[in-house]
Amino acid sequence: MKKKGNRIQNIAEALDFPLDVISDIPRSEIMGNCQLSIENIRGVLDYNENCIKINTTVGIIKIDGDELFIDNISDENIFVKGRIIRLEYI
């Protein structure tokens, strides 16, 4: 896996492309402490108003907060709203 990751990184650098464009690593964007979008997900593992766990190719992303809810979800993307306290890779 590590060799594959290095190979993809080398290709991205050679083509002058961002790594997330040519790979399936997650890309997250957080807006303040109330909105979060994550691309390239594999699914939701756990979901309640205080914690959401999302499966990705690089591991599990854990979102801790208050009044969290999934505003929108598709096969590869998720949009979470609520009071986000912590975003952690576990």
Side-chain angles (χ1 to χ4, degrees):
M1 178 82 173
K2 192 170 188 175
K3 287 184 179 182
K4 181 181 178 185
N6 288 339
R7 188 175 24 197
I8 291 172
Q9 186 173 357
N10 291 339
I11 292 169
E13 289 173 4
L15 297 174
D16 198 27
F17 283 146
L19 186 59
D20 63 307
V21 171
I22 63 171
S23 70
D24 58 354
I25 63 171
R27 173 182 161 87
S28 60
E29 181 178 356
I30 190 165
M31 291 142 287
N33 69 339
C34 59
Q35 296 180 7
L36 169 69
S37 66
I38 303 174
E39 299 173 0
N40 297 324
I41 66 167
R42 289 189 168 175
V44 176
L45 301 174
D46 191 17
Y47 172 48
N48 64 58
E49 67 179 17
N50 298 311
C51 178
I52 300 174
K53 292 181 183 175
I54 300 167
N55 192 21
T56 72
T57 57
V58 296
I60 297 169
I61 297 175
K62 181 182 175 191
I63 306 160
D64 291 319
D66 295 318
E67 299 178 5
L68 298 175
F69 65 97
I70 297 173
D71 187 53
N72 196 345
I73 189 168
S74 68
D75 290 342
E76 295 183 352
N77 303 314
I78 190 167
F79 193 73
V80 175
K81 288 186 176 179
R83 186 170 157 269
I84 298 166
I85 297 171
R86 178 179 29 246
L87 182 67
E88 175 182 17
Y89 284 87
I90 57 173

